[in-house]
């Protein structure tokens, strides 16, 4: 599904509840927030985006414990969930999406190959997460992450 169409549906779902959303992004570098704010009127449902590319930024801006990153790695379920929770705790929002991953072409390992992305969503206090491994080059992994993140939030709002 086209991300513009998904954003339009997301906008409707959030506005019908009078909710706002935030993003917490690492590997996508703000692309999810950009896609949301491409829509006119997005200020009615999009509050803010956190681009926390470095581990220090995850800790400083979202409150992700440095010990959590050291223990599990930045690309992990625990960190993605902490990012999603941090975005909600540090913004006046009811919904958030967080992504952390290895877009490549470097940085992969046997446990976490290039294309590995952890996504987490917080919707009205309910936290969920998913690990996906996307194929393709850096641009494709990032774009696929944006699509998956937006679709995932929309499905959790329905």
């Amino acid at each position: 599904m086209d991300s513009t169409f998904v954003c339009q549906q997301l906008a409707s779902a959030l506005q019908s509840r009078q909710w706002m959303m935030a993003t917490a992004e690492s590997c996508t570098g703000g692309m999810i927030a950009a896609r949301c704010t491409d829509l006119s009127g997005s200020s009615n449902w999009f509050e803010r985006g956190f681009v926390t590319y470095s581990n220090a930024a995850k800790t400083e801006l979202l409150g992700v414990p440095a010990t959590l990153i050291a223990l599990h790695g930045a690309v992990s379920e625990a960190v993605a969930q902490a990012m999603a929770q941090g975005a909600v705790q540090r913004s006046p929002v009811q919904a958030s999406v967080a992504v952390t991953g290895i877009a490549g072409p470097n940085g992969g390992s046997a446990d976490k190959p290039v294309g590995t992305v952890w996504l987490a969503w917080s919707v009205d206090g309910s936290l969920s997460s998913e690990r996906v491994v996307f194929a393709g080059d850096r641009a494709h992994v990032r774009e696929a992450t944006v699509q998956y993140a937006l679709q995932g939030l929309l499905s959790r709002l329905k």
Side-chain angles (χ1 to χ4, degrees):
M1 206 180 309
D2 172 74
S3 64
T4 301
F5 181 69
V6 173
C7 281
Q8 289 167 341
Q9 289 189 306
L10 192 55
S12 294
L14 289 163
Q15 287 178 357
S16 71
R17 293 169 176 81
Q18 297 184 314
W19 283 6
M20 299 293 282
M21 70 165 281
T23 60
E25 303 180 63
S26 186
C27 62
T28 49
M31 291 170 65
I32 300 168
R35 201 61 49 84
C36 289
T37 59
D38 279 346
L39 282 184
S40 178
S42 56
S43 59
N44 293 320
W45 54 275
F46 185 85
E47 166 59 29
R48 68 185 69 173
F50 297 90
V51 177
T52 56
Y53 206 71
S54 71
N55 291 346
K58 288 173 184 64
T59 299
E60 291 168 23
L61 298 176
L62 296 171
V64 178
T67 53
L68 197 68
I69 297 170
L71 190 61
H72 299 282
V75 180
S76 63
E77 182 176 30
V79 169
Q81 288 185 346
M83 289 171 66
Q85 288 176 311
V88 169
Q89 291 165 352
R90 294 171 183 237
S91 331
V93 302
Q94 297 77 26
S96 72
V97 58
V99 298
T100 181
I102 304 163
N106 305 315
S109 67
D111 289 346
K112 298 175 186 178
V114 168
T116 300
V117 179
W118 272 102
L119 303 98
W121 300 269
S122 177
V123 177
D124 198 27
S126 177
L127 191 62
S128 59
S129 52
E130 228 176 292
R131 177 184 182 263
V132 182
V133 181
F134 296 110
D137 64 11
R138 183 177 181 83
H140 185 268
V141 169
R142 294 174 80 206
E143 184 57 38
T145 300
V146 171
Q147 296 278 354
Y148 204 91
L150 290 168
Q151 187 61 55
L153 183 55
L154 179 60
S155 69
R156 284 159 177 82
L157 286 167
K158 287 186 173 179

